[in-house]
Amino acid sequence: MAAAPAAVTVPLGVLLRREVTKERMERPDVLCGEASRVRKGEDFTLLRADAGQRVAGDPSTSFSVFALFDGHNGSGAAIYAKQNLLNNVLSAIPTCLSREEWLAVLPRALVVAFVKTDKDFQAVAETSGTTVTFVIIDEWVVTVASVGDSRCILESADGSVYYLSADHRFDSNPEEAERVTACGSKVGRMDVVGGPQVGPLRCWPGGLCLSRSIGDLDVGECIIAVPHVKQVKLSNAGGRIIIASDGVWDDLTCETALDCSRGFPSDIAANRIVNEAIRPRGIRDDTTCIVIDILPPEKLAPSPPKRQGKIAFNNMFRRKSPDVPFKADREYAEPDVVEEIFEDGSAMLSKR
């Protein structure tokens, strides 16, 4: 008679990690707050905690969308992008996909939607433009697409802070300045007759200080609508996302924005950030902030982080190949770890 197989002993650590993995499958609560101070009336937001369902008729497949559109030279491009961008994203996603497949194609769908929205806006024949920071939250996975300088940051449950967007200002992005120069435009400061060059770096013709936007039909083909896209997965401890226009970031660092709002509910946090931004110099530009809390179920407010975090820049994430499929059930997920799934900031559509 054959001997009975020996019992397999599972280490306690593995069992605990499996329990964490099970907890991660619970849907988080997504709470949002918004605050704004108006100077020009060119900032617009899209706040949809229940933006749609991956599977029609199944509430358990719902996802959230939050976006900020900071217009310039008029509000036309910002309004048009607010009205059309989400539909263009959803139209670019094939039907009948599993959640893993849906998340895997989402970055490409966002690129397609940004470019289509920009192209369609050309028919409107307006010269306005807009930055866009577009956030999609599906359970614990956050996907951000951005053009311009409306920054999006994430503070994880352990207090670490991550940039989820890229600044497309010439002053802060030498690679974009080189790209636009190679494309045939000139990048430089404004010339004052009989005096030195002043102000931020701008693209000429047009005088735009951003290298990527939707709209801006009068500045040439060097200014593009191809977004930087980043996709991350939070632990089941959750985190806080802050999206704000340059009216905030011109006067506040990320650390200051988080410090003045930490521990407050999202609506109060957004107001505190805006008030802190306009306190030194008053309202000099439209100043808008969106705060999103991704919380474990039934947790009504974020707890202060376990430790004060330090800024963790984009390149501190461990890069993953876009060819690696998304795994929703990672067997040995670690608690309080923000995991990068995808990032691509290339300006070349052929590389997407």
Side-chain angles (χ1 to χ4, degrees), residues 26-300:
E26 296 182 15
R27 296 183 61 84
D29 292 327
V30 179
L31 308 178
C32 175
E34 176 192 18
S36 184
R37 302 293 184 271
V38 178
R39 175 70 182 272
K40 302 176 183 177
E42 295 175 341
D43 278 7
F44 295 85
T45 59
L46 179 65
L47 312 176
R48 296 185 60 180
D50 189 357
Q53 299 168 351
R54 287 181 282 103
V55 179
D58 184 353
S60 69
T61 67
S62 63
F63 57 89
S64 303
V65 171
F66 303 97
L68 174 57
F69 310 87
D70 181 0
H72 47 264
N73 297 327
S75 60
I79 294 173
Y80 186 88
K82 175 180 177 177
Q83 293 174 342
N84 293 279
L85 186 53
L86 175 57
N87 287 337
N88 288 339
V89 172
L90 299 180
S91 297
I93 300 177
T95 57
C96 301
L97 298 180
S98 67
R99 178 171 183 266
E100 293 82 0
E101 293 168 334
W102 194 87
L103 289 168
V105 303
L106 186 54
R108 185 181 296 273
L110 283 161
V111 174
V112 170
F114 270 63
V115 174
K116 175 175 170 52
T117 303
D118 180 63
K119 183 177 180 181
D120 291 348
F121 182 67
Q122 295 178 17
V124 180
E126 290 190 22
T127 57
S128 62
T130 186
T131 74
V132 181
T133 302
F134 200 87
V135 178
I136 297 179
I137 302 173
D138 186 307
E139 297 185 10
W140 302 101
V141 176
V142 179
T143 309
V144 181
S146 59
V147 292
D149 59 358
S150 293
R151 186 179 302 165
C152 177
I153 63 173
L154 163 70
E155 183 176 44
S156 64
D158 72 352
S160 296
V161 183
Y162 306 93
Y163 286 127
L164 299 186
S165 62
D167 283 349
H168 293 129
R169 276 190 184 183
F170 293 112
D171 276 327
S172 58
N173 198 323
E175 291 183 0
E176 285 291 279
E178 292 176 6
R179 178 186 65 79
V180 169
T181 301
C183 185
S185 293
K186 178 184 176 182
V187 175
R189 305 185 192 281
M190 187 178 297
D191 288 319
V192 177
V193 177
Q197 294 184 332
V198 297
L201 289 173
R202 299 177 182 273
C203 174
W204 305 97
L208 188 66
C209 62
L210 305 173
S211 63
R212 303 193 197 188
S213 68
I214 285 179
D216 291 307
L217 309 182
D218 59 338
V219 298
E221 297 182 354
C222 296
I223 306 303
I224 59 174
V226 179
H228 171 276
V229 182
K230 193 177 191 78
Q231 187 177 69
V232 300
K233 186 177 184 180
L234 279 64
S235 76
N236 67 321
R240 165 167 284 181
I241 293 172
I242 297 177
I243 314 167
S245 62
D246 61 342
V248 168
W249 303 123
D250 283 349
D251 286 288
L252 295 186
T253 64
C254 295
E255 297 97 322
T256 303
L258 288 164
D259 286 344
C260 76
S261 60
R262 189 177 285 115
F264 291 93
S266 56
D267 54 346
I268 297 176
N271 267 293
R272 288 178 65 88
I273 291 170
V274 168
N275 289 338
E276 184 69 15
I278 66 176
R279 183 177 57 83
R281 299 186 293 175
I283 303 175
R284 306 174 72 242
D285 192 6
D286 292 339
T287 306
T288 303
C289 180
I290 303 169
V291 175
I292 308 154
D293 288 325
I294 304 174
L295 303 174
E298 300 181 0
K299 187 173 182 180
L300 299 181

